[in-house]
Amino acid sequence: MKSTFRAAGLLALGLLLSPALPAQKNTRPTPPATSTPVDEAKMQRFIDDLMRQMTLEEKIGQLNLITVGFDVTGPVVSKDVDANIRKGLVGGVFNTYTPVAARKLQDMALKESRLHIPLIFGYDVIHGHRTIFPIPLGLSATWDMAAVERSARVAAEESAADGLHWVFSPMVDIARDPRWGRVMEGGGEDPYLGSQIARAMVRGYQGPNNDLTKNNTVMACLKHFALYGAAEAGRDYNTTDMSLPRMYNEYLPPYKAAIEAGVGSVMSSFNDINGTPATGNKWLLTDLLRGQWGFKGFVATDYTAINEMVAHGVGNDAQVSAMALNAGADQDMVGEIFLKNLAQNLKDGTVKQETIDLACRRVLEGKYKLGLFQDPYRGVSDKRAKATLMKPEFLDDARAIARKSFVLLKNENQTLPLKKTGTIALVGPLASRQRDLIGSWSGAGDWKQAVSVEQGMRNVAGSGVKILTAPGVNITDDALLTERLNAYGGDIVPDKRPAEEMIQEAVRAAQQADVVVAVVGESQGMTGEAASRADLNLPGQQLELLKALKKTGKPLVVVLMNGRPLTLNWENQHADAILETWFAGTQGGNAIADVLFGAYNPSGKLTATFPQSVGQVPLYYNHKTTGRPFDPQDRLAKYKSRYLDVSNEPLFPFGFGLSYTTFSYSKPTLSTPTLSASGTLDVSVTVKNTGNYDGEEVAQLYLRDVVGSVTRPVRELKSFQKVLLKKGESRMLTFRLTPEDLKFYNQNLQWVAEPGDFQVFVGSNSRDTQEASFRFVEGSATN
Ligand code: BGC
C-alpha cells in the first residue's frame, strides 16, 4: 500500500512569500456548477448548529486528512491517530478500506469523539477499485465516453461497497511530455477530449444526478489542480510556467469541465505555477476556481503539499500554513501542518477565524452531501462487499472495455488476426506477467487475479494452437532500477541467465513456430508517480530480442504494454504488426487474446502523440506554426524551424489507430459556406467500411482558425463520432458546428469567436484528413 512507501521528506526552510498571479477576468459564461441535490438551507442550518458547538481545535481537526494503513485484521491505528480521532482532530482518512476497517474507524469517531462527527474515507481509486480497468491513458484511447463512464461507475459501486466515500479521481492533467511518468494517469494531450472524459468520469462516480446520498456513489476529487502535467522536462513535481492564454485554452478546459459536471472536491497540485505553488495560490484556488468557475465543494491538498511549500522556498511552516488556508486549501493531506499551526496563525493574526470556519464548513458540507450525518456507514457490510467486488458482470465490463482501448499501430499483410491453428511463439518479458497488467495506481487491485497474456491466449485459442513460451530477456538489466521498482511492489524476479542465452531460447521457440508474438514494453512501475524517464525506447535488451526474432523470418507481432508514448522506430519499420495495449487491467490477457485472434476488431486511437525521438518532445498535434515553417519538399532549407537529425513529424500522430478492416472517407461537404453568429453549420462526410471485417471507426473533426488576434493552433479537435460499420457499409456522418466551437480565449482572456476564414478537417486521425473551408461572419460574437 502506498502509505508504507512514503518518505517523510519535508525539507529546507524558505523565506519570502512570492506574489500570486494577478486576478484575471474571465468572460466565458460559466453555468453554475451542478451541485449535489441537497436542501441547501437545511444543510446550512444543520452545519451552523454543529459548528456552534465546535471548539477551535475541533474545527481545525476537520481540516486534517490522514493516512491510515491496515493489515488483514483491519486498520492499523497508531496511538497518535487513535487519540486524535477520539479528540475530534481528524476530519478524514485515506488508504484504508474494507467494511471491517471502515466500521472500526467510523465507530471510533462516532462513539468516542465528543461531537460524533463522521469521518470521510478516501482512496486512490484511479482505474477501478478491485476490478481493474485499463490505465486512464488506455481508457482515453477508447474514445468511447460510455465505456469511460462505465469504468468509473463500476469503480464507484465497488469502492462504496468496500467502505469508501471519496475517490481521488479523475486526474485530468493535460500532458504533452511522455517523459513524465504520470502521462499514464490522464486522458492524453487534448483539451476537448480531456473535457469529455472529465465529465464522463464525474458522472460515473457521482451518478447521473450527483446524488451522493445514494450509497453506491462516491464523491469524485478532481486533480491535480492545476497544470501538474506541464512539469518542466517531464520531471515529476517540477516547475510549471505558462502564459495565461495557453493555460485557459489548452490546459484548464478539462478541470473546468469537471467543475461544470458537479465534481464534489478538488485536489491542489504539487507544482508551482508562475512562481507560486498551486497549494498556496489564491488566484488559482479562490479567484479562478470559486470566483470564476463557481466551485462549491472543498479543496484538499495533495500529499504533504503544504509542507512542501517550505522546500519551494515560500516560507516556514507557520507561513505556508497560513498561505495555504488563505489561498483556499481546505483540507491538509497528511502534512498535519494545519493541525500544528493554525491555532497559532490565528493568534498571530495571519489567518482569520472566518477563514478557518469557512474551510471547516466546506468539509462538513462534503460529508453532509454524502449523507454521512444520516447514515455514516452507508450500508457497508461484508455481505454487500462480497456480492459486489469483482462480480462477473464487472469482469465482463473490464474485458470489453480493455479491448476497446487497444490501438493497432501496424498490420502489414494482415498478419493479425491470428489463426487458431498452428504454433505460436509467445515471447517477451511481459508475456506471462500478471503484476504489470494491472498497472500503476491500482492500489486495491489484486494482481494475482489478473489474467496474463499467456493465460488469455490459452483461454481464447482453444486446443488447435500450440503455444511455446520464453521470456527472451529481462524487462530491464539495470540492477538498481530493478531494486527500486521492487521496493515499491514491482515484483520483478530477474532471470539470472545471460541475455544472449535467453534470447537464443526465444529464437529457438520462434524457429519452431508459424508466428511470433512478442510482449514487450515497460514494467508497471516505470510509469506513474515519480516515474519519469529520459529515454523513451524499450528498456533493457528488448529491442535486441526483437531484432533476433526478426532474423528468424517468422511474422513478428509486437504486443506493447506501457504507460506512455514510446519511440518505436525500428519496431515500426520491421515488425509485421504492432498492438498497443497499455496496462489493460484485471482482464487484460483475455482482452488481448480476443483482439489477437479476431474476436474483437481493434478500434482504439492514440490520445497522445508518439514521437520519433525523445528530442522532439513536447510534440503534440495542436501546436502553433512558426514564422518559418519547414517544408519537407525543400530538402536543403536551412533557416527553417526544423531539426538537422530528425523530421518534425511524429512517428504516430494523435488520433491514429488502425483496424482489421479499412475505411474510406469522402471529402467533407458543408451545409453553408458562411456561419453567422446565430447560425449552425453542418459538416458531412460519408465513411465506408472498405475492408473485410465489421469494425468501429472514430471519425474526427478538427478546425483551424486561419487568422486570429493571437496565433492559433494548426488544428484543434472539435468533435468526433465512434461508429460501427458492417463490412461494405457506408454511412453519412454529420457534425454540427456553432460559433461556440470557434471560440477561444484571446490575449485579454475573453472567450471570443473572431470573424474570418476557417478550415475544417475530417478524417481518421489528426494527420490524415480531407478539408473544406468556411467563413465566420457577422460581428465578433463576443459574449
Ligand atoms: C498523488 C495524488 C494522490 C495522493 C494520495 C499523491 O502523491 O500525487 O495523486 O491522490 O498522493 O495518495
Side-chain angles (χ1 to χ4, degrees):
M1 219 169 22
K2 196 160 174 228
S3 55
T4 331
F5 306 129
R6 289 287 183 176
L10 307 177
L11 305 170
L13 285 178
L15 294 168
L16 293 171
L17 294 179
S18 68
L21 280 171
Q24 296 291 334
K25 269 273 158 289
N26 169 7
T27 57
R28 182 175 187 170
T30 304
T34 333
S35 51
T36 48
V38 291
D39 180 334
E40 180 72 27
K42 197 167 157 204
M43 174 170 80
Q44 294 310 338
R45 276 198 305 277
F46 175 85
I47 293 176
D48 285 344
D49 188 44
L50 180 58
M51 283 183 62
R52 261 195 298 277
Q53 303 169 59
M54 291 173 81
T55 63
L56 175 65
E57 282 64 35
E58 285 164 340
K59 288 176 180 170
I60 295 171
Q62 289 304 308
L63 315 188
N64 190 26
L65 170 63
I66 60 164
T67 167
V68 173
F70 73 105
D71 60 24
V72 275
T73 59
V76 181
V77 183
S78 71
K79 269 212 177 93
D80 239 17
V81 169
D82 195 333
N84 280 349
I85 292 177
R86 292 195 172 99
K87 281 191 238 157
L89 299 184
V90 176
V93 166
F94 73 108
N95 278 338
T96 300
Y97 51 90
T98 71
V100 178
R103 280 191 177 268
K104 178 169 167 185
L105 288 177
Q106 200 64 299
D107 275 347
M108 202 180 284
L110 290 173
K111 297 182 184 155
E112 302 183 47
S113 76
R114 193 176 71 91
L115 292 172
H116 323 293
I117 300 175
L119 295 165
I120 182 171
F121 297 127
Y123 195 52
D124 286 295
V125 174
I126 308 296
H127 49 112
H129 179 58
R130 300 282 190 157
T131 303
I132 301 297
F133 288 86
I135 56 168
L137 187 61
L139 281 173
S140 71
T142 64
W143 293 62
D144 180 333
M145 295 310 114
V148 171
E149 180 178 334
R150 178 71 192 152
S151 73
R153 178 90 295 272
V154 171
E157 298 263 359
E158 287 194 341
S159 50
D162 220 6
L164 293 166
H165 315 141
W166 184 29
V167 294
F168 301 152
S169 173
M171 186 285 212
V172 303
D173 305 325
I174 294 293
R176 295 167 164 177
D177 192 331
R179 292 173 297 182
W180 192 49
R182 302 193 81 168
V183 163
M184 56 78 55
E185 254 185 85
E189 72 192 32
D190 184 66
Y192 175 82
L193 183 64
S195 301
Q196 309 276 329
I197 293 170
R199 285 189 202 103
M201 302 240 7
V202 171
R203 213 176 131 89
Y205 290 132
Q206 300 194 163
N209 307 317
N210 284 316
D211 182 358
L212 296 174
T213 60
K214 294 222 157 62
N215 73 18
N216 66 349
T217 62
V218 283
M219 181 183 283
C221 184
L222 175 70
K223 73 187 190 187
H224 306 83
F225 197 59
L227 318 184
Y228 183 38
E232 278 178 7
R235 186 156 51 75
D236 212 354
Y237 318 120
N238 209 0
T239 307
T240 62
D241 201 311
M242 192 183 284
S243 75
L244 289 165
R246 166 164 277 185
M247 229 187 253
Y248 274 75
N249 285 313
E250 301 167 33
Y251 282 80
L252 294 180
Y255 305 111
K256 185 167 190 284
I259 302 300
E260 287 168 7
V263 71
S265 65
V266 168
M267 186 184 295
S268 68
S269 58
F270 288 127
N271 52 291
D272 98 60
I273 298 180
N274 298 355
T276 306
T279 297
N281 195 320
K282 183 160 187 298
W283 169 79
L284 183 77
L285 300 184
T286 297
D287 301 351
L288 176 67
L289 182 65
R290 298 187 186 280
Q292 295 179 32
W293 291 355
F295 175 62
K296 298 275 186 293
F298 69 97
V299 174
T301 71
D302 205 340
Y303 206 108
T304 62
I306 307 178
N307 314 59
E308 292 170 27
M309 283 162 59
V310 175
H312 273 290
V314 294
N316 58 25
D317 277 3
Q319 287 168 320
V320 298
S321 162
M323 187 176 170
L325 188 83
N326 290 330
D330 301 309
Q331 208 175 40
D332 166 12
M333 185 191 283
V334 177
E336 302 209 332
I337 201 154
F338 279 170
L339 203 64
K340 292 184 187 127
N341 291 277
L342 281 184
Q344 188 60 40
N345 287 152
L346 184 64
K347 278 196 196 132
D348 298 344
T350 50
V351 302
K352 294 193 178 116
Q353 180 68 50
E354 66 204 55
T355 318
I356 296 175
D357 285 354
L358 188 57
C360 174
R361 177 176 296 274
R362 289 181 185 139
V363 172
L364 294 174
E365 283 174 1
K367 294 181 178 184
Y368 188 96
K369 289 173 190 166
L370 278 161
L372 288 174
F373 289 104
Q374 287 78 36
D375 177 10
Y377 301 99
R378 296 184 105 225
V380 293
S381 68
D382 283 337
K383 192 166 163 231
R384 174 175 160 203
K386 220 167 167 188
T388 309
L389 305 179
M390 297 188 87
K391 66 178 173 185
E393 184 193 334
F394 293 168
L395 295 177
D396 291 348
D397 287 327
R399 182 169 179 165
I401 292 172
R403 303 192 316 190
K404 288 171 185 265
S405 72
F406 304 153
V407 184
L408 184 64
L409 296 174
K410 182 174 182 189
N411 194 20
E412 281 301 277
N413 307 320
Q414 304 218 330
T415 306
L416 291 176
L418 301 174
K419 293 183 196 61
K420 289 190 181 172
T421 55
T423 304
I424 297 174
L426 176 62
V427 300
L430 294 163
S432 306
R433 294 275 297 170
Q434 291 172 283
R435 170 67 191 96
D436 295 294
L437 266 165
I438 65 168
S440 179
W441 286 116
S442 47
D446 175 3
W447 61 261
K448 296 197 173 106
Q449 297 193 49
V451 181
S452 70
V453 178
E454 180 185 346
Q455 191 54 55
M457 286 186 70
R458 292 191 193 284
N459 294 343
V460 173
S463 55
V465 181
K466 187 168 172 199
I467 297 178
L468 307 173
T469 60
V473 286
N474 286 316
I475 189 83
T476 171
D477 32 37
D478 178 336
L480 177 60
L481 179 59
T482 306
E483 213 181 309
R484 280 159 67 191
L485 294 171
N486 279 345
Y488 291 85
D491 198 58
I492 298 170
V493 187
D495 194 317
K496 296 271 183 334
R497 290 175 293 167
E500 197 43 38
E501 191 183 324
M502 292 174 72
I503 290 177
Q504 279 321 309
E505 181 189 44
V507 165
R508 279 195 300 280
Q511 282 160 344
Q512 296 165 53
D514 301 301
V515 59
V516 182
V517 174
V519 190
V520 293
E522 300 179 299
S523 168
Q524 56 77 35
M526 292 179 187
T527 61
E529 186 173 351
S532 296
R533 287 181 64 203
D535 175 39
L536 299 177
N537 291 324
L538 286 177
Q541 308 267 341
Q542 296 185 84
L543 186 54
E544 299 312 312
L545 170 66
L546 295 181
K547 286 180 177 168
L549 294 167
K550 177 71 188 173
K551 283 201 192 124
T552 64
K554 299 294 169 85
L556 176 61
V557 176
V558 172
V559 173
L560 291 166
M561 238 183 241
N562 50 289
R564 55 158 63 80
L566 296 175
T567 43
L568 301 164
N569 299 299
W570 185 94
E571 295 83 339
N572 188 39
Q573 269 166 31
H574 299 284
D576 296 280
I578 306 178
L579 183 70
E580 171 60 78
T581 69
W582 318 110
F583 294 110
T586 306
Q587 284 288 310
N590 283 334
I592 291 169
D594 285 343
V595 169
L596 291 178
F597 288 109
Y600 180 79
N601 183 358
S603 66
K605 303 269 190 176
L606 299 179
T607 58
T609 302
F610 276 43
Q612 298 178 62
S613 158
V614 69
Q616 294 175 301
V617 304
L619 186 68
Y620 48 96
Y621 84 94
N622 47 353
H623 60 86
K624 311 253 184 106
T625 69
T626 66
R628 294 188 175 197
F630 174 62
D631 173 3
Q633 306 302 323
D634 193 359
R635 283 193 317 118
L636 301 182
K638 178 167 170 61
Y639 296 103
K640 297 291 183 182
S641 183
R642 63 176 299 189
Y643 300 97
L644 293 176
D645 51 354
V646 64
S647 77
N648 289 351
E649 306 313 312
L651 185 63
F652 300 113
F654 174 84
F656 181 80
L658 303 171
S659 162
Y660 293 155
T661 191
T662 47
F663 297 97
S664 71
Y665 281 71
S666 68
K667 208 170 153 33
T669 56
L670 308 185
S671 58
T672 163
T674 51
L675 173 62
S676 69
S678 56
T680 59
L681 182 151
D682 287 346
V683 181
S684 302
V685 288
T686 300
V687 184
K688 181 167 188 204
N689 181 339
T690 50
N692 295 321
Y693 298 85
D694 299 348
E696 287 157 277
E697 167 68 337
V698 182
Q700 301 157 41
L701 181 145
Y702 298 85
L703 275 187
R704 177 174 188 174
D705 186 350
V706 181
V707 175
S709 61
V710 295
T711 55
R712 307 285 294 120
V714 293
R715 53 184 65 190
E716 294 175 286
L717 182 71
K718 291 292 172 178
S719 192
F720 61 88
Q721 293 184 36
K722 187 164 188 172
V723 287
L724 170 66
L725 296 177
K726 299 257 176 235
K727 179 178 161 183
E729 185 184 348
S730 292
R731 189 165 326 152
M732 187 164 90
L733 305 180
T734 299
F735 301 87
R736 172 151 297 182
L737 296 177
T738 71
E740 197 62 22
D741 298 307
L742 315 186
K743 288 185 180 174
F744 64 98
Y745 291 96
N746 67 13
Q747 212 59 272
N748 300 319
L749 300 182
Q750 292 159 317
W751 177 237
V752 295
E754 295 177 340
D757 292 333
F758 285 80
Q759 288 170 299
V760 51
F761 309 88
V762 185
S764 103
N765 61 65
S766 62
R767 179 190 60 202
D768 303 317
T769 53
Q770 299 183 72
E771 68 180 272
S773 43
F774 66 90
R775 268 188 94 70
F776 175 57
V777 294
E778 259 188 34
S780 68
T782 307
N783 289 325

